[in-house]
Structure formats: structure tokens, C-alpha cells
Amino acid sequence: MTHVSIKELTKVYPGATIPSLDRLSLEIPTGELTALLGPSGCGKTTTMKMIAGLLEPTSGDVTFDGRSVLRDKPEDRGVVMVFQNYLLFPYMSVADNVGFGLKMRKKDPAEIKRRVGEMLELVKLPDLGDRKPSALSGGQQQRVALARALIVQPNVLLLDEPLSNLDAHLRFEMRDLIRSLQQEMGITTIFVTHDQEEAVVLADRVALILDGQMKQYDRADVFYKRPIDEATARFFGGHNFIPGTSDGHVFDCALGKLSLPEGATTGAGKLTFRPENVRIGTAADGQNCLTSTIADVIYLGTQTRLKLRVGDTALDAVVNPNEIESYAVGDTLPIHLPRATLWVI
């Protein structure tokens, strides 16, 4: 159980003029699961490798429970890192792979056998201990890699794109397993991902990193409801950004004067609302009602995406397909924007 503190962590690779990671600061409470989220090349894996001791930072610090670990060797940090390619020993059995860390620590063979059995039960592979990794599916290999990491009871568990090599149905299964194991064992866990849905499902909190800098660090729901800026909102699927001016109660823009929730930002800015928060029909309270024209209809199976126009302003909406069965491109569609779902950035 370890509290991880990352302070102004910076990495400039030799020959580079721009930092790969620029003054990243994070507080990761004991036992929490935190996602480092962002596109390829934003500095996520660089951060993880510096926590593990596989890279030396240019500046900044990493502390575990208040003590700097930068001078500690990787093997002395109590950190285990699971790579996206698993890196299982192909010539060893599953059981020997899982028990490898305990063997290196010279644990008693009987204890190793017992704990390997327990761990294989936890990852739902109780009968596969004698097989070689090559005889396993990708999902099973990922479970073995996870078991090998957890069996040594690390202070901090690092997962690098843990689900990226799995098929869609296996990703759902592994998400549940990773989350349940992490909660059961209480290990402080940091995982890297470029998939915002994966981060939202798994993490207690998410650190969004763009171009080497942290944009926002918060609970997953906050990124949807109160993004810090337009880049953050767009990364989480935001589409509607309307320039205008707020007095804290009303936003004056090309759509008209729209009522805002309490505590809204004042001054010039952009009004944003998620496509799924656009409502069809007229609001009972008469607030924020607009008349739109359907420019395009895109059927997505469980949802339908609408391209709408209100005057010269384009809007995106995501609705239940049943709601618009009687509508077509070119039709007039009444919509309203619930006040509570609006946010000024």
C-alpha cells in the first residue's frame, strides 16, 4: 500500500529540444488505480518508465510514501511493470512463469507452488499451469503476465497498454478482472492507455496528458461534465463549441440567450454540451428551446448521430434511434439543451 507522488517530472531525451514530458505533477493515493491517458507520443510510457526506474528523469522527483526513489535501483523500488507484449518466458510453463519472481527471491518451493496455485485461481486459469505460453490465447497470456506481477505483492503495479493486443470481447473481460484484482489486493496501480473508454471504466482518476503536459487530473465523470478546455473536451468526444459571452447566468451566442447552471464562468468563452445531452422536443420549463434542421442522419446501431443546423450554426446530437424514426434529412426538429448539461470553457 503505497502513496505515489510525482513532482515536476521532466524528461528531455538527448538531442531533443522539446521535453517528452514537461513538469508533470500527480498525487496518487494509496490503493487507487490511476490512468495515464493520451495519444501516442504524449509522454505516458516515459512517465511510467521513470516511475519504474527504467529511465532517469531530467528533473523532478518520484516519491513513495514521502521518500524519493530516484536513487533506488529498479529492483529495489517494489515496482512491477506489465508490458503490452506480456514478455513471458516461452521455454517455461505457465506455473514457472507465474512463480519466477518468488524463485528469484529464493522462497521455499512448497510456498511457491501454493502461491502459484492461488494466483492461477485468482486469474481464472487453475488448470493451465503445465502449459507453455505458446499454447495459450492472447487473453490467457495477459492473465499469466498479470499473475506473475501480482504474486510478488508489489508496492506499485504499472500496466503499459494492458488491453491493446486483445480482441474487443476479451478487453471487456480483462477490464473486469484487472479492476476486481486491484480492488481485492489494494495495490496502488498506474496504467497507460490511449483509449478514453478504457480509462473511464477502469480508473479511480484519470490524468490526461497531451504533448507532454498534463491537461487535467480528475475523476472520470468530470472530463465529460466539466472539461478544462476545448482540447480536453474533444479528446473525450465533445463536438459542440459555440463562442459567446457569459454573465454567469445567461450565455449570449449565435443560438440566442441560453440559461446556464449556477456557478458558470463569466466573460468571453465557448459554450459546450455533449451530443448525447441534446434533447428532442420542447422543454417543460421552456428554457433553451431551439428549432433545428436535420442535415444528416448517421445510424450507429444502438444510437443515431444527427448533424443539425440552427441558423448558420452546426450542432451534433446523439439520440435513441426510436426517437427519430419519423424524421428525415431536411425536416425541422425541435430540440432543447438542459441547463444542467451546459458548460462554459
Side-chain angles (χ1 to χ4, degrees):
M1 301 286 279
T2 303
H3 181 107
V4 177
S5 181
I6 300 170
K7 303 174 181 177
E8 297 284 313
L9 201 61
T10 299
K11 179 63 179 179
V12 182
Y13 285 100
T17 57
I18 299 174
S20 174
L21 190 73
D22 189 9
R23 295 168 294 171
L24 177 72
S25 294
L26 284 177
E27 294 293 332
I28 302 173
T30 297
E32 278 202 1
L33 194 156
T34 294
L36 301 182
L37 173 67
S40 297
C42 73
K44 307 183 303 293
T45 300
T46 294
T47 302
M48 186 168 282
K49 287 181 177 180
M50 288 191 284
I51 295 170
L54 304 179
L55 273 179
E56 184 177 344
T58 303
S59 60
D61 200 2
V62 178
T63 67
F64 293 174
D65 293 331
R67 187 185 73 83
S68 176
V69 296
L70 291 188
R71 295 190 178 185
D72 294 351
K73 296 178 180 178
E75 61 269 25
D76 296 332
R77 294 191 181 192
V79 173
V80 174
M81 187 167 178
V82 178
F83 294 90
Q84 65 185 93
N85 293 322
Y86 317 137
L87 300 181
L88 300 177
F89 300 115
Y91 53 86
M92 288 185 182
S93 68
V94 165
D96 288 341
N97 265 283
V98 173
F100 181 77
L102 298 181
K103 183 179 180 181
M104 291 298 98
R105 297 181 182 192
K106 297 181 169 46
K107 297 293 183 180
D108 179 73
E111 180 187 356
I112 294 175
K113 183 177 180 180
R114 175 183 61 81
R115 289 179 60 184
V116 166
E118 293 173 350
M119 191 54 62
L120 289 177
E121 286 280 354
L122 273 178
V123 298
K124 299 179 173 58
L125 298 174
D127 303 319
L128 301 184
D130 293 333
R131 295 193 186 181
K132 292 290 197 295
S134 59
L136 304 181
S137 67
Q140 289 170 333
Q141 290 184 45
Q142 180 65 281
R143 290 169 188 262
V144 174
L146 193 58
R148 184 176 63 180
L150 292 172
I151 199 170
V152 298
Q153 298 177 324
N155 295 325
V156 179
L157 176 64
L158 305 177
L159 305 172
D160 186 15
E161 298 276 7
L163 309 179
S164 63
N165 290 335
L166 301 180
D167 294 335
H169 72 284
L170 287 175
R171 284 202 295 272
F172 287 113
E173 191 176 309
M174 283 302 298
R175 282 175 189 172
D176 291 343
L177 180 64
I178 289 172
R179 186 63 180 161
S180 63
L181 288 175
Q182 189 271 335
Q183 289 181 326
E184 182 175 339
M185 302 186 77
I187 297 172
T188 304
T189 301
I190 304 167
F191 77 99
V192 157
T193 181
H194 64 273
D195 186 331
Q196 51 97 348
E197 181 181 335
E198 185 177 299
V200 167
V201 170
L202 276 173
D204 294 303
R205 287 196 285 181
V206 177
L208 177 63
I209 303 173
L210 299 177
D211 298 323
Q213 296 184 326
M214 189 173 70
K215 280 288 187 178
Q216 191 167 349
Y217 180 44
D218 225 316
R219 299 187 319 275
D221 64 308
V222 176
F223 287 88
Y224 290 89
K225 297 175 181 176
R226 299 187 297 278
I228 197 167
D229 59 17
E230 185 173 342
T232 300
R234 287 189 181 279
F235 196 90
F236 277 81
H239 284 266
N240 300 308
F241 303 93
I242 315 298
T245 306
S246 166
D247 66 2
H249 304 284
V250 172
F251 193 82
D252 190 358
C253 62
L255 298 178
K257 295 181 183 294
L258 301 176
S259 296
L260 296 172
E262 292 184 11
T265 299
T266 60
K270 289 185 178 180
L271 182 74
T272 184
F273 46 92
R274 296 191 61 79
E276 59 269 25
N277 288 333
V278 176
R279 300 287 186 264
I280 293 177
T282 302
D285 59 8
Q287 287 188 332
N288 299 347
C289 295
L290 305 169
T291 299
S292 70
T293 302
I294 300 175
D296 197 7
V297 178
I298 305 166
Y299 180 65
L300 302 174
T302 58
Q303 297 176 320
T304 294
R305 181 174 291 277
L306 298 178
K307 301 289 186 180
L308 305 174
R309 297 204 69 83
V310 178
D312 294 329
T313 303
L315 302 180
D316 273 17
V318 173
V319 300
N320 186 311
N322 297 329
E323 290 185 276
I324 57 154
E325 282 184 330
S326 60
Y327 289 92
V329 172
D331 286 351
T332 298
L333 183 69
I335 60 172
H336 67 275
L337 309 176
R339 187 175 68 162
T341 67
L342 303 185
W343 178 248
V344 179
I345 53 177

